[in-house]
Amino acid sequence: MTNIYSFLKNVWQDLIETQKENNFFIPFLLLLATIVLPLGINNITLGILFLFLLLNRKKVTFKRSFFLAIPILLFIWMALSYFWAIDKERTLKAIPKEITLLLIPFLFSFIPVFNQKTKEKILKYYSFSIVTFTLVFMMRALIRYAITGDSNAFFYHGEYHDDYGLVPKLLNAIHVSVYVAVAFFYFLTKEVKSKADYSIVLFLFLFILLLSSKNIIVVFLLLTFFYTSFYSKTVHRVRLRNIAIMVFAIGFILTFSRIKERFLVEIQSNTERGVRNDMTTIHTEQVHVVSIYEAWNNEKFSHGDFFPGAAFRVYQARMFFEFLQEEPIFWKGFGLNASLKKLLDKEKQYDLYPGYGTLNFHNQYIQNFAELGVIGFILLIVMLGVLLYKALQVKDFMHIAFTILMISLFLTESFLWRQRGVVFFTAFYSFFAVSNSRN
């Protein structure tokens, strides 16, 4: 108990001392650290950040920044899309969810640049907050498993009506994977690690695999291998040991049937055998698992067709290209969040099982192009280009990892169309884009 008190006291003193160096340290940290809490709490932290700006208005100066102007321009274009949106009601409701694209870069136009020391502490305490939340979710899973005996408690997310997964559906396992991956890379890249740090690295590694996001797992493992093999400053023998541990951990985790099943559905659905109606991973003979080829080429589907993740995203991409040919969306798009009406029409046209047409494109690049036209698409690409340019310029692996994670995530998720997603991305985008990593 004494050790815990001493630890918390030291943390508090460290926070206060860093706050004295930069008055926006704690408010910005709170914005990042509450990303998985209810949206109301996260919104309050954004309000606190603005309050601190007002209280310190005489001490701050406005800084012009091309990097910060891009997300602001994207938000302005989103708001303007109301005037040509095919579903003005949906566009009007969606605009407030995207407002952090305007507010956070605006705040960073006044916030004093975080020096290297402060930047590292923001990443440190954000990462510890994520560790705390993952421990809570793991305890939640253990308790549920003890009560129900259902191993689903340790994997992915459940549904809105049946919360049985490792994290709630509202948070989305894929999105949580990204939040956790950023924290994982903080601990992995620490030059001097304690035994506790190594334990946290292994725990977060396990947690990300249990979340079972196929895309994030692949990119996360590649980034981990790249860092361990080429970027780490540890001696060659230690690097080989780390690689061996990682390979063993992957092999061990893949023995869990739930994780294997999520990968096998994708692999088997795109082989001759995989499209058979009696796939062992689908527990009903009436379901036909659609392959990527079928998703792109079939003229009709049926209510018995099931789309695995990759096949569904290919189908959505196909719908986008059809929209480009059929609708005048190249320059301006359908309007922010207004494509649902057209996707529902396609659901009826292709006789999909009801519900598929209510899902967005699950691809941020396509989502931007379809709803905001080529201008919205270019603004997104420029933002990611800025992130990548800055990452390579400063050679900061945390910055590189975040950028690669975002680029890959946008291939399978409309991440910025979720309020948590746009807060997370815009906050870290602004943080990395303007932080002076060489101080």
Side-chain angles (χ1 to χ4, degrees):
M1 196 69 182
T2 304
N3 290 337
I4 295 175
Y5 172 77
S6 177
F7 170 76
L8 293 176
K9 182 180 178 181
N10 290 335
V11 168
W12 177 251
Q13 289 175 345
D14 187 36
L15 290 171
I16 295 301
E17 289 174 6
T18 310
Q19 176 68 14
K20 291 177 181 177
E21 297 175 9
N22 190 315
N23 289 333
F24 296 90
F25 166 68
I26 289 180
F28 181 66
L29 176 61
L30 286 173
L31 179 69
L32 294 178
T34 57
I35 195 67
V36 302
L37 293 178
L39 292 173
I41 295 175
N42 195 242
N43 290 338
I44 289 172
T45 63
L46 184 59
I48 292 172
L49 198 50
F50 263 94
L51 178 62
F52 269 72
L53 177 60
L54 290 174
L55 293 175
N56 293 275
R57 62 187 181 278
K58 295 181 180 180
K59 301 177 183 178
V60 298
T61 56
F62 178 77
K63 310 183 294 292
R64 291 183 180 180
S65 170
F66 168 75
F67 303 131
L68 297 176
I70 307 167
I72 292 174
L73 288 174
L74 179 58
F75 174 78
I76 292 172
W77 188 247
M78 288 175 170
L80 288 174
S81 74
Y82 170 80
F83 296 104
W84 61 79
I86 62 172
D87 190 338
K88 293 185 183 299
E89 184 179 353
R90 287 183 63 83
T91 297
L92 191 61
K93 288 181 180 179
I95 290 173
K97 294 181 181 180
E98 306 296 332
I99 200 167
T100 48
L101 284 167
L102 168 68
L103 298 182
I104 294 177
F106 174 79
L107 283 165
F108 267 83
S109 297
F110 293 94
I111 292 176
V113 173
F114 295 121
N115 61 30
Q116 184 65 17
K117 179 182 175 183
T118 306
K119 177 185 171 184
E120 289 177 357
K121 288 187 178 181
I122 288 172
L123 293 171
K124 170 185 175 181
Y125 288 115
Y126 162 79
S127 300
F128 272 110
S129 72
I130 292 297
V131 171
T132 302
F133 289 126
T134 55
L135 286 170
V136 170
F137 288 131
M138 189 61 78
M139 287 298 299
R140 172 180 181 262
L142 287 168
I143 292 170
R144 289 184 170 196
Y145 180 72
I147 294 173
T148 65
D150 185 356
S151 61
N152 280 319
F154 294 105
F155 300 94
Y156 204 52
H157 58 233
E159 300 298 334
Y160 290 114
H161 65 278
D162 189 3
D163 183 16
Y164 57 79
L166 181 58
V167 297
K169 170 73 170 180
L170 187 64
L171 289 179
N172 191 308
I174 300 172
H175 298 185
V176 174
S177 296
V178 177
Y179 309 152
V180 177
V182 172
F184 169 86
F185 285 118
Y186 166 76
F187 290 104
L188 181 68
T189 57
K190 287 183 69 174
E191 291 188 14
V192 180
K193 298 183 184 68
S194 64
K195 290 182 179 179
D197 291 327
Y198 280 109
S199 297
I200 290 172
V201 166
L202 290 174
F203 173 70
L204 294 182
F205 186 93
L206 169 66
F207 198 87
I208 291 171
L209 293 178
L210 292 178
L211 285 169
S212 312
S213 167
K214 301 179 291 295
N215 175 31
I216 298 303
I217 286 176
V218 171
V219 176
F220 158 74
L221 291 177
L222 288 174
L223 284 169
T224 302
F225 179 79
F226 176 78
Y227 176 80
T228 307
S229 303
F230 307 108
Y231 213 95
S232 174
K233 295 180 181 179
T234 56
V235 297
H236 184 65
R237 186 175 61 181
V238 176
R239 278 194 241 167
L240 289 175
R241 182 199 66 186
N242 292 342
I243 293 172
I245 291 173
M246 187 182 75
V247 171
F248 173 78
I250 294 170
F252 175 73
I253 293 301
L254 288 178
T255 61
F256 287 105
S257 61
R258 301 294 180 185
I259 298 175
K260 281 199 301 184
E261 182 174 307
R262 286 186 55 77
F263 281 93
L264 286 174
V265 167
E266 299 293 353
I267 296 169
Q268 293 177 351
S269 67
N270 296 294
T271 64
E272 182 179 352
R273 182 180 178 184
V275 297
R276 291 173 53 195
N277 292 349
D278 61 344
M279 271 190 58
T280 57
T281 52
I282 306 299
H283 304 294
T284 172
E285 294 184 359
Q286 285 71 42
V287 172
H288 172 76
V289 180
V290 178
S291 69
I292 288 175
Y293 177 85
E294 292 171 321
W296 186 258
N297 292 283
N298 277 15
E299 295 183 3
K300 280 286 183 179
F301 297 94
S302 72
H303 287 195
D305 286 336
F306 166 75
F307 286 80
F312 177 68
R313 286 162 174 82
V314 168
Y315 164 81
Q316 293 288 66
R318 174 186 173 184
M319 296 304 101
F320 165 68
F321 285 109
E322 290 187 8
F323 291 145
L324 273 181
Q325 294 177 346
E326 300 166 358
E327 307 283 348
I329 63 171
F330 181 82
W331 292 107
K332 297 186 295 184
F334 291 124
L336 177 65
N337 208 33
S339 59
L340 176 64
K341 180 180 178 181
K342 294 295 181 179
L343 288 171
L344 284 170
D345 289 343
K346 289 294 183 181
E347 175 191 275
K348 296 174 183 176
Q349 177 184 335
Y350 285 99
D351 197 27
L352 268 66
Y353 185 82
Y356 278 118
T358 64
L359 301 175
N360 63 33
F361 286 100
H362 281 66
N363 181 308
Q364 192 64 60
Y365 307 104
I366 290 177
Q367 196 83 42
N368 270 52
F369 209 135
E371 298 187 348
L372 302 171
V374 69
I375 295 175
F377 174 75
I378 289 173
L379 287 171
L380 177 65
I381 295 300
V382 171
M383 276 200 296
L384 294 173
V386 164
L387 270 178
L388 188 58
Y389 168 77
K390 289 286 289 183
L392 297 176
Q393 183 184 52
V394 300
K395 299 178 181 179
D396 178 355
F397 188 81
M398 282 293 296
H399 191 162
I400 293 170
F402 173 77
T403 304
I404 299 302
L405 283 167
M406 289 296 101
I407 290 171
S408 61
L409 178 67
F410 287 178
L411 288 169
T412 60
E413 294 294 311
S414 297
F415 189 62
L416 301 184
W417 264 230
R418 296 285 294 270
Q419 189 170 337
R420 279 190 184 85
V422 73
V423 171
F424 178 82
F425 173 79
T426 311
F428 270 112
Y429 169 90
S430 302
F431 173 68
F432 281 124
V434 304
S435 291
N436 189 347
S437 300
R438 292 177 179 176
N439 278 0

